[in-house]
Amino acid sequence: MTSIWEYANPKKFMQTSGRFLPWIAGLAALCMVGGLIWGFFFTPNDYKQGSTVKILFIHVPSAMIAINGWGMMLVASLIWVVRRHHVSALAAKAAAPVGMVMTLVALITGAIWGEPMWGTWWAWDPRLTSFLILFLFYLGYIALWQAIDNPDTAADLTSVLCMVGSVFAFLSRFAVDFWNQGLHQGASISLDGRDDMANVFLFPLLTCMLGWVLFFLTLVLLRTRTEIRARRLKALIARERMG
Amino acid sequence: MPDLGKYAVTVLSAYGAAITLIVALVVWTLWRGARMRRLLREAEARRARNG
């Protein structure tokens, strides 16, 4: 049986990811575009929210990726710290800009939705505030990678930052349950069926969520491949300079 | 086009902002990937030439 640690070898990672990428990217595009068209054109307006309910199909999957993207970075960082596999450190680095953009999308679409529904673009509500802090952690994480020349030191320090930031990723997911106050509502859907959503909204939302997960995976694979190439390029240039 | 009623601007601006950011992320990722591939190919060709 093939061990998962084989993919820590950059060559093996490039071969395998290259084989699967077109399929994952194609499926991502299909689910994202299909889910958005379904949600935008073929769902009714909500009796309370009117047509703003359609923002759900972008906002919820983006927020989900914002939080779980950081979770993926945490796992990759822990693998780096424990096993020193370069590919995992590069995967964490590759995921950060994707997670950062998703956090920004969730914040912007939430603010646009909040203005007519809550009467304000922004409130210092537990969920919103922890999301803003998560966004700042993403920025800090990306800046830290850029600021340090030695890639191993950068991977070490960003791993520590990632572990600290995980507290806010966790809080942004459970803030509503912990504090039970603020404007933001609880989970849109849940596995135990507590928060039932009408199927007419649920199915396009699930399609979008699947699309967003595959989109995240596609971009992380693409960006990790680019980081591996950048690392090889740096090594070649260093060798050229030496003689 | 569905009837978005009085929230048309709200819904369209949310979709517009999100799609703009997502497309920019994809374009940036592809551009950087293509650039890195080209630079690496050139560096490896130089290495093969110079030994």
Side-chain angles (χ1 to χ4, degrees):
Chain A
M1 202 176 126
T2 311
S3 161
I4 192 174
W5 303 118
E6 270 190 34
Y7 300 103
N9 176 334
K11 200 173 169 194
K12 178 81 179 167
F13 177 86
M14 293 297 271
Q15 278 172 353
T16 311
S17 62
R19 218 169 31 238
F20 288 111
L21 244 175
W23 296 99
I24 301 171
L27 207 55
L30 193 71
C31 289
M32 279 180 97
V33 174
L36 285 179
I37 289 174
W38 189 358
F40 187 85
F41 290 98
F42 301 106
T43 57
N45 292 343
D46 181 64
Y47 76 105
K48 263 190 196 164
Q49 303 176 45
S51 61
T52 63
V53 72
K54 293 175 194 293
I55 296 174
L56 179 90
F57 305 112
I58 293 179
H59 179 75
V60 171
S62 301
M64 176 188 74
I65 295 298
I67 297 168
N68 292 294
W70 194 276
M72 176 254 143
M73 286 161 57
L74 174 66
V75 172
S77 299
L78 287 173
I79 293 173
W80 162 255
V81 169
V82 176
R83 298 191 69 123
R84 312 304 281 180
H85 290 318
H86 286 99
V87 172
S88 65
L90 295 178
K93 182 185 182 187
V98 187
M100 189 264 288
V101 169
M102 288 301 148
T103 314
L104 191 58
V105 168
L107 284 169
I108 290 174
T109 52
I112 293 172
W113 179 88
E115 202 279 325
M117 292 298 116
W118 293 339
T120 180
W121 299 94
W122 180 261
W124 295 102
D125 151 293
R127 167 72 64 93
L128 273 63
T129 307
S130 55
F131 238 85
L132 179 64
I133 296 172
L134 180 64
F135 175 68
L136 297 176
F137 262 99
Y138 269 119
L139 287 182
Y141 181 91
I142 295 166
L144 193 55
W145 264 108
Q146 300 300 323
I148 300 166
D149 267 345
N150 184 307
D152 285 6
T153 311
D156 285 338
L157 294 177
T158 52
S159 294
V160 174
L161 182 66
C162 187
M163 287 174 218
V164 177
S166 298
V167 175
F168 287 94
F170 184 77
L171 278 182
S172 51
R173 169 65 185 82
F174 294 105
V176 179
D177 306 322
F178 287 162
W179 283 280
N180 200 25
Q181 63 174 27
L183 288 170
H184 202 287
Q185 66 271 39
S188 301
I189 47 175
S190 62
L191 291 174
D192 61 10
R194 261 184 318 151
D195 304 288
D196 276 343
M197 176 186 277
N199 286 348
V200 70
F201 298 117
L202 181 65
F203 293 134
L205 177 61
L206 290 176
T207 310
C208 285
M209 287 165 83
L210 176 64
W212 254 251
V213 169
L214 293 169
F215 174 70
F216 175 74
L217 193 60
T218 303
L219 287 198
V220 171
L221 286 176
L222 272 171
R223 298 182 73 91
T224 306
R225 289 165 65 82
T226 300
E227 292 301 335
I228 290 171
R229 289 193 176 108
R231 193 163 157 264
R232 166 120 180 104
L233 177 67
K234 205 173 171 185
L236 285 178
I237 290 172
R239 215 174 293 171
E240 275 177 10
R241 281 183 188 153
M242 277 181 356
Chain B
M1 186 75 175
D3 177 23
L4 299 174
K6 61 179 177 175
Y7 298 122
V9 174
T10 303
V11 177
L12 292 176
S13 53
Y15 271 75
I19 290 169
T20 304
L21 282 169
I22 289 170
V23 168
L25 176 67
V26 171
V27 169
W28 174 39
T29 299
L30 293 177
W31 173 80
R32 189 162 176 264
R35 182 171 167 269
M36 207 52 71
R37 257 199 319 271
R38 180 176 54 78
L39 290 174
L40 184 59
R41 215 174 25 239
E42 287 170 5
E44 277 175 342
R46 266 198 316 275
R47 185 177 168 228
R49 257 198 324 271
N50 302 333

